[in-house]
Amino acid sequence: MESGLSRAARAAVSRRGLLGGVCALTAVAGFRPGIARAQAATPYPFETFFTPARTRQVKLSPSGRRIAALQQMGDGDDSIGVIDLIEADDPEGQRRQIVLGPIEAEAMEWANDERLLVRVAITQKTGTRSIPGSNRRVAGVEFTSRRILSVSADGGDPVVMFQDQRQRLRNSVDMGRVIDLLPRDPDHVLMTAWERDGVLGLHRVNVNTGSAERIERGGAGTFAWQTQGGVAVLRHDINSRGTMETVYARAPGETEWKLARRNRVIDAPDFSWVGETDRPGVVLVTARAEGEDTEVVREMDLRTLGVGPAMNAREGRDVLYGLNDSAGLYLGAAYYGERLEYVFSEPALAPHHRALDRFFDNDCDVHLTDVDVSRNRFIAYATGPREPGAWFFYDRTAQAIVHVGATRELDMARLGGAETLAVPTRDGATIEAYLTAPVGAAPGPLVVLPHGGPEARDTRAWDRQVQALASQGWWVLQPNFRGSGGYGLGFAQQGWTRWGDRMQEDVEDAVAHATTLRGLDATRVAIMGTSYGGYAALMGAVRRPDLYKAAISICGVGDLPEMLAWENREDDTPGKPIYEFWTKRIGDPAAMGPALEAASPRRRAAEMACPVLLVHGVDDPIVPVIQSRRMRDALRGAGKTVELIEIEDAGHSDWDDAQELALMTRYIDLIRTAFA
């Protein structure tokens, strides 16, 4: 393995001083130095990036004594799930294996130091059936059920959670969600399961026997809880479209749930759970307080619903998540700066994370996914532009870091490297963008990938879409235009009601900066994106027919007034907060009607010059497929080259790897033809 591990191999040769005085490292297990020399300058076929991941997860037991690596071995019908057990005192020693069998293993947690919980997916197909009143028969329907297996770390005594409730197991497809691992009750966990009347129940389940008892019953839209000391204190209900959650709170000892807030699920959520505190009725959440720019970790009083002052804040950056140890104790907050960074509540941890960054040549985001209660042993998950994902065990006392598993074995020399650009905009601002070079980095064509949201953001991390395009010899640009999330509310607000102009101008300025900086071919530029990024691709082709040679819109918006009218009709939440959310960001049709029409690609189809490919899930609940159908019709009516691919039984770009690979083939074919 080369991606990440080649750096580890080099580091092992001269490991003293590697961590800048924090600790020295023992040699890293598992690397294959020969890979780096084989076909070092040959890009991978893009199909390589769509193969199933091998290592699915690596977890450290609560005490830090054992490591478990969840693997999926083999291909297709021969694929089996396997758990590798590693003793943390001898992480490079012989591994023991637990074979789960011919199932799809998706995720894993330690229930306690002796038992593992594994979520498995079981795909079945019903037999053919007759059509009533006819001699015809139709093929069966394929469906996937999810279950949690509790497995002894010694390899025996497997049980299925809820196995004492056979009727529930027969009738429920989704029984694969653990709500709380209950660190202070090693024999039980809290899980959700659907009741007969269609509401969700919260159950206390014995990890040794699989037996369950219901302790909480949700409402009509409940989909999750958070708990303190094993008692539900937050309840999350969701609307029928799955776009807005209503959060209810209940302090320990209270009987009634009270409305805490409403929160966007997909676009610009500004509230999330972090963990418990040692004070009943006080928990940790991420929230943006009234009048403040950034979302940060705060205490929340469940009785008053008030939030406290910012904890571990970072100016100009929204928190990504809170970091806890295996007992659920808070350690700090994660942010995205030059790369993934932590602001620790325990300063002694900071030099160790910086040391891990240096171990990966400051080229990866290093997530601390597990920390034991003594703060001595960690699981670090590294991902970067040329690292699709690898897990490492870090032991402070033993002064060792050991490779444990990887999603894919790829040679970093055959992948495109990325740099961060500071882009000056035409009105004097500065935005960030990420520019990925193809193997060899020879100047050539450019593909622009504006992100979705729009209040999301790109990071300098692994992106298989980026690598697939770079494998064709093309440079790839990912601009974080104004209106993006992650940089504080003020940065996002600079894009509100500016969909057709400022946000597009930022993308254009990023293209101009990148092509000038690296001498790229400005006569061969294409643009593609998903959701808001699909809108940006279409609007880019409207504004700059001289620049873009192809435009690809995936589940994109084509008409802003029609989109807002649909949001108004579909918003089933009291007070229509979803519609209000979008009128703030796109614009109020009553006040901005002509401007919204001018910012709608469908209404300006005649101005587009390049070929357009539209892709849309037929059952998309976020952007309805009619947006792409009408965009296609407008382009056809204007005599333009356009194709619409509709994905049956799919929503908002949620198709599987095989479908994504087939689509990527189409994207590359279109762009290659346009660049010819």
Side-chain angles (χ1 to χ4, degrees), residues 569-593:
R569 290 192 304 270
E570 295 295 315
D571 191 353
D572 58 357
T573 311
K576 292 188 177 291
I578 304 172
Y579 179 64
E580 180 185 4
F581 175 94
W582 285 117
T583 55
K584 281 184 178 179
R585 284 152 177 82
I586 299 175
D588 185 345
M592 295 181 60

Side-chain angles (χ1 to χ4, degrees), residues 423-670:
V423 177
T425 66
R426 64 192 67 183
D427 59 354
T430 301
I431 63 169
E432 286 185 330
Y434 304 106
L435 181 63
T436 299
V439 173
L446 176 69
V447 180
V448 189
L449 284 182
H451 62 70
E455 283 179 46
R457 62 159 295 172
D458 277 318
T459 61
R460 192 178 167 279
W462 173 260
D463 189 314
R464 69 178 180 181
Q465 196 174 64
V466 169
Q467 289 295 335
L469 295 168
S471 73
Q472 305 305 300
W474 306 330
W475 294 67
V476 185
L477 181 67
Q478 299 169 278
N480 282 329
F481 41 81
R482 281 170 290 182
S484 300
Y487 297 92
L489 184 60
F491 188 85
Q493 286 176 329
Q494 292 180 57
W496 290 9
T497 72
R498 306 297 300 271
W499 280 39
D501 46 61
R502 175 179 286 163
M503 296 168 77
Q504 296 294 143
E505 290 169 357
D506 283 357
V507 174
E508 294 164 8
D509 292 344
V511 171
H513 182 73
T515 53
T516 300
L517 183 70
R518 295 292 172 241
L520 307 184
D521 186 353
T523 68
R524 292 189 292 168
V525 181
I527 186 168
M528 64 180 281
T530 301
S531 195
Y532 172 82
Y535 164 83
L538 294 172
M539 198 62 200
V542 168
R543 288 173 51 95
R544 294 295 306 274
D546 61 315
L547 177 63
Y548 296 117
K549 297 301 182 285
I552 300 170
S553 172
I554 306 163
C555 299
V557 176
D559 192 296
L560 298 184
E562 289 184 358
M563 187 69 203
L564 288 168
W566 183 80
E567 289 285 1
N568 192 20
R569 290 192 304 270
E570 295 295 315
D571 191 353
D572 58 357
T573 311
K576 292 188 177 291
I578 304 172
Y579 179 64
E580 180 185 4
F581 175 94
W582 285 117
T583 55
K584 281 184 178 179
R585 284 152 177 82
I586 299 175
D588 185 345
M592 295 181 60
L596 295 178
E597 291 177 4
S600 296
R602 184 181 76 84
R603 303 183 188 223
R604 299 176 63 179
E607 300 174 49
M608 301 171 74
C610 67
V612 176
L613 177 61
L614 307 168
V615 178
H616 220 117
V618 173
D619 301 324
D620 190 339
I622 310 303
V623 178
V625 67
I626 192 67
Q627 285 280 318
S628 286
R629 289 172 178 170
R630 289 178 174 170
M631 188 72 229
R632 173 201 59 196
D633 295 344
L635 286 164
R636 282 180 177 173
K640 307 299 180 179
T641 302
V642 61
E643 181 181 3
L644 169 60
I645 301 174
E646 295 188 9
I647 313 299
E648 298 291 338
D649 300 319
H652 197 60
S653 66
D654 59 357
W655 30 84
D656 60 23
D657 286 350
Q659 182 68 70
E660 185 68 30
L661 173 59
L663 289 170
M664 180 55 69
T665 304
R666 300 292 297 274
Y667 305 154
I668 288 174
D669 286 346
L670 174 66

